[in-house]
Amino acid sequence: MTQVTTVDVLVIGGGTAGPMAAIKARQKNPNLKVMLLEKANVKRSGAISMGMDGLNNAVIPGYATPEQYVREITVANDGIVNQKTLFAYANNSYAMIEELDSWGVKFEKDENGDYAVRKVHHVGTYVLPMPEGHDVKKVLYRKLKQNRVIITNRLVATRILLDGEGKVAGALSFDCRSGEYNVIRAKAVILSTGAAGRLGLPASGYLFGTYENPTNAGDGYSMAYHAGAELSGIECFQINPLIKDYNGPACAYVTGPMGGYTANAKGERFIESDYWSGQMMQEFYEELAGGKGPVFLKVNHLAEETITNIETILHGNERPSRGRFHEGRGTDYRKDMVEMHISEIGLCSGHSASGVWVNERAETTVPGLYAAGDLACVPHNYMLGAFVYGRLAGESAAEYCAATQLGEVDEVQVEAERQRIFAPLAREHGLPPSQVEYKLRRLVNDYLQPPKVTKRMEIGLARFEEIRADIQNIVASNPHELMRAAEVRFILDCAEMAARASLFRTESRWGLYHQRQDYPEQVNDEWRVHVQVKKGADGRMTLFKRALEPYLVEPQEAEKFIYQHLRIRPETVPE
Amino acid sequence: MTHTIDFPVKVNLESCIADKGCTVCIDVCPLDVLAIDPATGKATMKYDECWYCLPCEKDCPTQAIRVDIPYLLR
């Protein structure tokens, strides 16, 4: 049975950017029918399902200016940015904080009622703690209801529908409980499906022990690709410094301003700043693998009341099972340093730069298709960036709808996708999705994890092709397993994009994110460009360079120097 | 003798009210791993795919759920 629904704006992904996009589309034009489609449940979905412990990139007057922020992120992302998109974030950052505040999201304030901003980055001051940030999703849910957004949960979107002119006509999806096929017609579609968080296999070997919410399998990256959109910076992987095995953030952003820091086995600082960047990850990786490794989060020198405060924040927000993990290992912040490790690789513009290409209006290169949040290429844009770009996407899509007719549905595409999605249910024997996923992600680790080597990535691509054939043999016995089977395809598309984009950029850049052993130098003459991935007219993956837009603000030499000299020099480390 | 395997999500059958129509934990799980056990009418972990994120435990109206860190990570 097929369900057909018609709306004006369809938002795919109800985590952070998605709810904001839906709300803002409705506020822009209350006559629009706006649907928020979620694979899980909007109440508790996405990267902030349990809230967030702080803003990493708040641009608040008196502490930071948009110009300074854009310069710093330009340097942090090794020059490969479209500054217009960074400014669109930075200029709207403070208004978004004030709006969220007025909605009931709690930010830390000082005794005068001013935002209590802290310094974690190398240059600017942008971190705003949210010790009571566990209710963000509840606040968003209330606003969705107030603004009469149509919410639909447990739908797995698999493809964007295009009309004969190549503009968006809706999306195809299925219900992961009933197995019902859903065709949703829409004038505009906003993708906000989060990171590709199930790309690499965590060191624990546990498929769902990922840094990102594992619901985020790279769905939107794959859908944007097959719709013909450009993706950018895919070779700039996400790799994060995390608590070993638990795989959640060690939260130097939370502990740093209170005196905590990243240390080696001797308890010594080895990096000047704990702000996550490729350059920082390079130093982290070298210390981890070196004779002074592994790496630890050190807070055991702090006062009891400070540690209690840290525990309250860290064990109550974002990843609240962390305290339980430490308890199981007998780790006490008062006595012990906490062992850290690097994450599996992923794609995520919220932390690095790998995403669907968007301009400063959140438009992709496909008419009627918008992107926001972790999957949209706006480097280092984090949760607040997801909210700001959610707003931009919602407002842009609402404007677009006013001048657009509903696209015709291509019945051939609808039927072909039905065959493709439901095939695993009809097979009598074959491979379980979990095994194909495990093998694929193990191959991602073996062949794509930096440091990157040409031959290794070429072998990886060949093995991925074998997985593509194996996918034709996946069996599923119910709609839940069908969802996992669909996700294996998303992961495979992301793996192939990650390999090809990495091979295309024949230089090293962004520290560990794109460290190529056989091309160790940064080559600015040739590679101060974006690397774009796109599905070609022949159906094959094509890669090409996109020139940088001229900078609106030029980073200063001193700022560049700081990011290039992260390691603490030996003579400055006390014995 | 039949053995049962310990899953991360543990449901206290005494306090769980899924048999009275409650589906809060099943609704909120991001990975959709919880379901009603037809044998007991109570919530149970049907798929071993837990992200130990805790909405099921925090949102349960009768505090019937306890999530342990999956064995592979402990």
Side-chain angles (χ1 to χ4, degrees), chain A residues 40-41 44 49-50 154 176-177 204 206 208-215 245-246 319-321 324-325 329 478 480 483-484, chain B residues 26-34 46-55 57-59 66-70 72-74:
Chain A
N41 185 305
R44 288 294 199 181
S49 65
M50 292 300 284
R154 304 295 171 192
C176 72
R177 289 184 177 172
S204 66
Y206 177 45
F208 296 88
T210 48
Y211 167 69
E212 295 287 346
N213 184 327
T215 318
D245 299 334
Y246 180 72
R319 299 304 308 277
S321 59
R324 216 160 278 183
F325 171 78
R329 293 259 174 113
N478 56 47
H480 181 87
M483 166 167 68
R484 298 288 175 249
Chain B
I26 295 164
D27 289 345
V28 295
C29 175
L31 279 301
D32 208 17
V33 305
L34 304 174
K46 188 173 175 190
Y47 300 99
D48 191 5
E49 301 169 338
C50 175
W51 189 48
Y52 44 104
C53 54
L54 308 194
E57 181 178 313
K58 298 278 178 197
D59 293 351
R66 155 93 192 177
V67 179
D68 289 330
I69 302 293
L72 292 175
L73 312 182
R74 258 179 247 161

Side-chain angles (χ1 to χ4, degrees), chain A residues 358-540:
Chain A
V358 290
N359 64 11
E360 65 279 11
R361 291 170 45 81
E363 295 164 338
T364 72
T365 54
V366 173
L369 186 64
Y370 301 79
D374 277 347
L375 103 155
C377 181
V378 182
H380 295 232
N381 89 122
Y382 291 97
M383 179 178 76
L384 193 57
F387 283 132
V388 169
Y389 266 81
R391 185 195 129 194
L392 297 172
E395 291 176 353
S396 298
E399 281 173 20
Y400 172 84
C401 282
T404 308
Q405 299 297 312
L406 192 66
E408 288 300 314
V409 172
D410 174 0
E411 292 300 339
V412 176
Q413 192 193 354
V414 171
E415 188 48 36
E417 185 60 1
R418 180 208 304 277
Q419 301 283 344
R420 197 181 76 96
I421 291 176
F422 292 100
L425 282 179
R427 293 188 188 111
E428 286 180 3
H429 59 89
L431 301 164
S434 58
Q435 283 199 22
V436 181
E437 178 175 340
Y438 184 90
K439 185 167 169 180
L440 168 58
R441 291 172 59 191
R442 196 263 297 167
L443 293 173
V444 166
N445 282 18
D446 290 350
Y447 295 107
L448 299 189
Q449 187 151 304
K452 303 174 186 177
V453 177
T454 301
K455 187 62 189 173
R456 202 179 285 141
M457 291 192 285
E458 287 170 355
I459 297 170
L461 274 172
R463 302 299 312 272
F464 296 158
E465 275 315 296
E466 295 166 13
I467 298 283
R468 209 168 276 288
D470 293 343
I471 282 175
Q472 301 307 316
N473 277 320
I474 287 184
V475 289
S477 55
N478 56 47
H480 181 87
E481 291 177 11
L482 203 58
M483 166 167 68
R484 298 288 175 249
E487 288 167 344
V488 175
R489 291 186 169 115
F490 298 146
I491 298 167
L492 180 60
D493 285 337
C494 290
E496 186 181 342
M497 284 192 268
R500 292 197 191 280
S502 295
L503 282 164
F504 188 79
R505 185 182 281 280
T506 50
E507 63 152 3
S508 287
R509 192 176 289 269
W510 305 295
L512 188 64
Y513 300 165
H514 185 64
Q515 186 201 351
R516 290 194 66 172
Q517 299 276 62
D518 39 354
Y519 295 95
E521 301 300 322
Q522 184 169 307
V523 187
N524 282 323
D525 293 347
E526 196 180 342
W527 289 108
R528 250 176 111 263
V529 291
H530 302 283
V531 168
Q532 309 293 97
V533 180
K534 187 176 187 280
K535 190 175 184 177
D538 59 356
R540 296 169 67 94

Side-chain angles (χ1 to χ4, degrees), chain A residues 240-385:
Chain A
N240 293 330
L242 304 175
I243 295 174
K244 186 164 189 302
D245 299 334
Y246 180 72
N247 229 16
C251 281
Y253 296 3
V254 172
T255 61
M258 301 185 195
Y261 56 89
T262 308
N264 59 25
K266 294 180 167 179
E268 296 164 347
R269 270 183 209 266
F270 61 95
I271 38 178
E272 298 274 1
S273 163
D274 287 325
Y275 179 66
W276 294 3
S277 64
Q279 302 91 324
M280 182 272 199
M281 278 309 303
Q282 182 74 48
E283 298 299 345
F284 189 102
Y285 173 74
E286 283 170 16
E287 200 75 0
L288 186 72
K292 290 183 187 171
V295 172
F296 298 85
L297 171 70
K298 182 169 163 55
V299 294
N300 58 3
H301 55 291
L302 301 177
E304 170 63 32
E305 60 181 297
T306 310
I307 290 179
T308 307
N309 191 14
I310 288 172
E311 284 177 338
T312 308
I313 298 169
L314 293 184
H315 303 170
N317 288 294
E318 191 180 359
R319 299 304 308 277
S321 59
R322 168 213 292 255
R324 216 160 278 183
F325 171 78
H326 290 319
E327 202 179 310
R329 293 259 174 113
T331 307
D332 183 345
Y333 285 2
R334 286 153 194 81
K335 301 199 298 279
D336 308 302
M337 297 199 296
V338 180
E339 186 183 356
M340 294 178 69
H341 198 67
I342 57 171
S343 71
E344 65 281 3
I345 68 162
L347 307 179
C348 174
S349 193
H351 294 98
S352 62
S354 32
V356 177
W357 178 259
V358 290
N359 64 11
E360 65 279 11
R361 291 170 45 81
E363 295 164 338
T364 72
T365 54
V366 173
L369 186 64
Y370 301 79
D374 277 347
L375 103 155
C377 181
V378 182
H380 295 232
N381 89 122
Y382 291 97
M383 179 178 76
L384 193 57

